[in-house]
Amino acid sequence: MKRRVVITGLGAVTPLGLGLEETWRNLLAGRSGIRPIFIFDAETFPTTFAAQVAEFDLAPFVREEKAYEKAGRNVRFAMAAGRMAMDDAQLTVGRFDPDRLGIYLGSGEGALDFLSLVDAIAHGTGPAGEVSAVGFAELGIQRFDAMRELEQEPNMPANHLASEYGVRGPTYSCLTACAASTQAIGEAMNLIRIGRAEMMLAGGTHSMIHPLGVAGFNLLTALSTEPKNEPWRASRPFDRNRGGFVLGEGSTMMVLEELEHAQKRGAKIWAEVTGFGSSTDAYRMTDIHPEGRGPVAAMRMAMADAGVGPEDIDYISAHGTGTAENDAVETLSVKIAFGSRAPSVPISSVKSTLGHLIAAAGATELATCVLAIRDQILPPTMNLETPDPACDLDYVPNAARKAEVEVCLSNSFGFGGQNDCLVVRRFIQ
């Protein structure tokens, strides 16, 4: 028999709140975290808005705040969300075996020394306007910050968390685009199942709200650009007038724990993670296969791993980005995977108000599934005003809905064709 894996701690830092409960309240109320970009001056970009995390004091969440002065936003988010999850699980230093606790994060790039890079390029040009390798190198050595260069590595949030808590168990990072934290949680669960760890701090953290991130997604025509005067209406999953996703940022962390280990120490159990499915499309870098073969395979695999069928799923947390391709193909994929039951399974996208947290999206969406089970209520898909004939399922439009929720499926589909799905259910002894 598989070792059972439960969630014993949760923490989150999102555009809708500092902490999971504040985020959840705002989600259910349909409030939006999308507003004009304040992290940098984006006035000249096609997209001028994003879902940003408000400034917060890191000091209560770390032993020494000075150690994080040059860390990126992703690290700051991870340290706060990680502390919330560890405290929620009552895992203070000295109360756990550091060799049996691991870390697995879906984590994006950190602090980018963008201004120093621009300065070195601007002042390192030759007489004809070309970039001089010698001039650029000299200025780079003078002006780049060594610690900021180190902090841009995607593994740094996991390393900082390991150092903060003295973790000596298996520690991993993955960056499979928008599916990263779903993959991290699924693989962390499997490490516990096979006995490599008793507990794993798992989740995701990311911020791409910087000039390179916004410019790159604008070039891919993936970001919503309208309406600039009403940015809270810009993320419109499954709506006929959707025009792309809205960048978000943040972190969600959870403590996964082997059931008997959790029970022996009297831990509170939020829910049980029972299934994980992963596939790749092997199709295109930015498009899902039009027949949904990758998402269908991942959903079926997750349900089979959990020992459930389509008839057992009460709610689907959609990837639901608000791009034309994703929403239509995800709808088709659900129809294929769920057959005749597809129209009766509620499915919603919290990206409509949270934005797209990229590597942190999947963990955040799984956490909302846990709270949906706890509170017996489904978060809405906001801004769904004009039905799209290609998107004709029950998307819980514009208002939260009371429902009987015992088992949820959470979908994450990333650029490059990565598909990861998780099944979470109410804990039953």
Side-chain angles (χ1 to χ4, degrees), residues 13 61 105 116 227 248 256 287 397 403 418 428:
V13 176
F61 300 105
L105 301 188
S116 296
L256 303 181
D287 296 335
Q418 183 71 35
I428 302 171

Side-chain angles (χ1 to χ4, degrees), residues 61-83:
F61 300 105
V62 294
R63 287 177 297 170
E64 185 182 356
E65 187 176 16
K66 188 176 181 181
Y68 302 95
E69 284 181 348
K70 295 183 179 179
R73 293 174 71 82
N74 64 334
V75 169
R76 294 175 63 83
F77 302 154
M79 300 312 295
R83 168 69 69 181

Side-chain angles (χ1 to χ4, degrees), residues 17 36 54 108 198-199 264 268 305 323 395 404:
E198 300 297 342
M199 299 179 290
K264 283 179 182 178
K268 172 185 66 180
D305 189 37
T323 62
Y395 304 110
E404 294 184 4

Side-chain angles (χ1 to χ4, degrees), residues 181-199:
S181 54
T182 298
Q183 180 173 331
I185 293 167
E187 295 187 353
M189 174 185 70
N190 284 335
L191 286 171
I192 295 172
R193 280 177 167 178
I194 64 174
R196 290 284 306 282
E198 300 297 342
M199 299 179 290

Side-chain angles (χ1 to χ4, degrees), residues 330-406:
E330 184 167 14
T331 297
L332 174 64
S333 301
V334 170
K335 289 178 179 178
I336 295 171
F338 281 75
S340 61
R341 188 155 187 272
S344 62
V345 182
I347 172 173
S348 67
S349 172
V350 297
K351 290 183 177 74
S352 56
T353 54
L354 270 172
H356 192 339
L357 278 57
I358 313 297
T364 306
E365 290 156 17
L366 185 70
T368 66
C369 289
V370 172
L371 295 180
I373 292 169
R374 183 193 70 178
D375 295 343
Q376 298 290 279
I377 192 167
L378 305 177
T381 302
M382 298 302 292
N383 304 315
L384 183 45
E385 300 165 355
T386 309
D388 183 342
C391 300
D392 56 356
L393 298 178
D394 176 7
Y395 304 110
V396 193
N398 301 311
R401 179 192 301 169
K402 284 287 186 181
E404 294 184 4
V405 192
E406 299 294 316

Side-chain angles (χ1 to χ4, degrees), residues 117-140 144:
L117 172 65
V118 171
D119 187 57
I121 292 174
H123 293 89
T125 55
E130 77 282 4
V131 177
S132 164
V134 174
F136 176 80
E138 290 176 349
L139 285 167
F144 286 2

